[in-house]
Amino acid sequence: MKATAQAPANIAFIKYWGRTNAVLRLPANASISMNLSACTTTTTVEFASEYAKDTVELLGENGLRENEAERITKHLDLLRKQVGSALHAHVVTKNTFPKSTGIASSASGFAALTVAAVAALGMKCSEKELTALARPGSGSASRSIPDGFVKWGGEYAHSLYPASYWDIRDVVVVVGTIGKDVSSSAGHDTASTSPYFAQRLRDVPGRIARVEHAFQAKDFVLLGEVIEEDCLDMHHVMQTQAPPLYYWNETTIRLMDAVKHWRNEGLPVYFTIDAGPNVHLICEGAYESTVLEKLKNVSGIETVIQNRVSDGTKIISDHLF
Ligand code: PMV
């Protein structure tokens, strides 16, 4: 009753912010994302009668906060309930990137946990069912399960295009690795206090249609324009909700400004930012090296993570314990 899964984080081109049901984590709007090849979580789950309680070990970092371990146990409870199991689990997990910094560690974390635990419990689930099982752990986790470019509309997520469809890169510029004070979970709950939230919900369907058209036509400029528009719109809501949430720092803003200048010089690159200060630079494969070159002149950068589009969550045979 032991299994290991590897899951990618994902970056949303159209963001999920706010929900219609907090427990089931049903989103207030549909979102579209790309899976990230270099930002992954690997998790081994073993259920056994010798375990008196659930234990979770995060390798190579400062360890989990108490509420994070509780959230994992709660998720395991939900999966155990599906098969009527009372067995406790030992969970060992590791990330290739710092958690809680705006690179969705909860997405890759709960996708890997769900797929590994489902396999360890011997459940037979379709990919579609797995996306719904991951969702109550973290909404964005449902987008890390299918391959490539993924749409999550409500209950389930599905792949729009495989990873090989379009050579898009996400150069993640890490400008801060301190865990955030307000989790995105808490932020979703108060999103509707922003006076701009209702307008956002009216605007998102139009943006989804533009992204889908950009994909069909492989129109990168259109895709990039919508990505930036939706990122700024989500942060506008975040910054005007009660209490307001500011995730950016000085370097975040310096990079947003730099991207605008680079574009004026003819470099097709666009930014997007999640619930943290790091900036995701989105470009086509042919321009990635120029983007990396440009970044050498920007101060305040800690590190850069180069991502291609990747498959979704997979079972792997190398266990962590
Ligand atoms: O799934 P959560 O609760 O981590 O929410 C993710 C929210 C954003 O990263 C800000 C946007 C998104 O769609 O990924």
Side-chain angles (χ1 to χ4, degrees):
M1 297 196 81
K2 185 175 186 175
T4 301
Q6 187 176 45
N10 67 74
I11 182 67
F13 295 163
I14 300 294
K15 308 292 190 187
Y16 145 57
W17 194 244
R19 45 200 178 198
T20 54
N21 182 314
V23 178
L24 298 177
R25 293 182 198 263
L26 289 169
N29 64 269
S31 54
I32 293 180
S33 61
M34 134 181 178
N35 285 329
L36 304 181
S37 63
C39 299
T40 63
T41 301
T42 302
T43 302
T44 300
V45 180
E46 182 179 46
F47 291 93
S49 52
E50 73 203 61
Y51 297 133
K53 60 182 177 77
D54 292 332
T55 46
V56 185
E57 198 184 333
L58 174 66
L59 300 178
E61 288 186 66
N62 292 335
L64 288 167
R65 294 188 206 160
E66 205 177 307
N67 62 341
E68 291 171 323
E70 269 170 31
R71 204 167 143 189
I72 291 169
T73 297
K74 223 174 116 191
H75 195 61
L76 291 174
D77 284 343
L78 195 132
L79 299 175
R80 278 186 285 247
K81 214 171 133 190
Q82 300 273 328
V83 289
S85 169
L87 293 175
H88 290 294
H90 181 51
V91 178
V92 177
T93 186
K94 70 167 194 225
N95 293 324
T96 58
F97 58 100
K99 71 182 166 72
S100 296
T101 52
I103 311 172
S105 58
S106 67
S108 53
F110 280 97
L113 180 73
T114 304
V115 171
V118 159
L121 286 168
M123 293 164 70
K124 295 273 169 282
C125 293
S126 65
E127 176 185 282
K128 186 177 171 183
E129 287 164 341
L130 285 170
T131 70
L133 284 173
R135 198 192 64 235
S138 167
S140 53
S142 52
R143 291 193 313 241
S144 284
I145 288 177
D147 289 344
F149 300 97
V150 178
K151 182 176 182 181
W152 170 39
E155 255 186 283
Y156 306 104
H158 67 275
S159 179
L160 286 176
Y161 294 97
S164 59
Y165 177 72
W166 198 355
D167 182 16
I168 299 225
R169 307 288 171 93
D170 174 6
V171 177
V172 184
V173 187
V174 179
V175 301
T177 49
I178 300 163
K180 56 200 175 200
D181 299 338
V182 180
S183 69
S184 48
S185 262
H188 286 293
D189 290 338
T190 47
S192 61
T193 60
S194 163
Y196 302 104
F197 184 63
Q199 185 59 44
R200 170 167 173 74
L201 294 187
R202 283 192 285 276
D203 290 341
V204 165
R207 285 194 205 116
I208 293 263
R210 281 158 69 206
V211 165
E212 288 182 341
H213 176 73
F215 269 112
Q216 230 168 4
K218 291 196 180 164
D219 180 341
F220 184 74
V221 170
L222 175 62
L223 178 69
E225 282 174 0
V226 188
I227 287 174
E228 265 189 28
E229 187 182 306
D230 192 68
C231 162
L232 292 172
D233 189 55
M234 176 185 73
H235 282 274
H236 191 196
V237 169
M238 288 168 156
Q239 291 169 6
T240 52
Q241 63 189 69
L245 302 176
Y246 296 93
Y247 290 112
W248 305 343
N249 69 21
E250 272 172 65
T251 313
T252 313
I253 294 167
R254 201 174 310 128
L255 280 161
M256 291 159 79
D257 213 38
V259 166
K260 205 164 61 185
H261 284 294
W262 299 339
R263 255 195 330 260
N264 286 340
E265 291 168 11
L267 181 63
V269 57
Y270 293 81
F271 66 77
T272 187
I273 305 153
D274 281 344
N278 300 328
V279 180
H280 296 247
L281 299 178
I282 310 294
C283 66
E284 289 184 286
Y287 296 98
E288 187 183 23
S289 57
T290 316
V291 168
L292 293 170
E293 210 42 52
K294 293 276 183 196
L295 283 172
K296 289 186 180 156
N297 301 318
V298 181
S299 60
I301 296 174
E302 288 180 14
T303 164
V304 165
I305 307 171
Q306 295 169 243
N307 292 281
R308 291 169 181 257
V309 192
S310 90
D311 281 347
T313 307
K314 302 280 180 254
I315 289 287
I316 58 170
S317 51
D318 284 342
H319 300 308
L320 294 178
F321 69 94

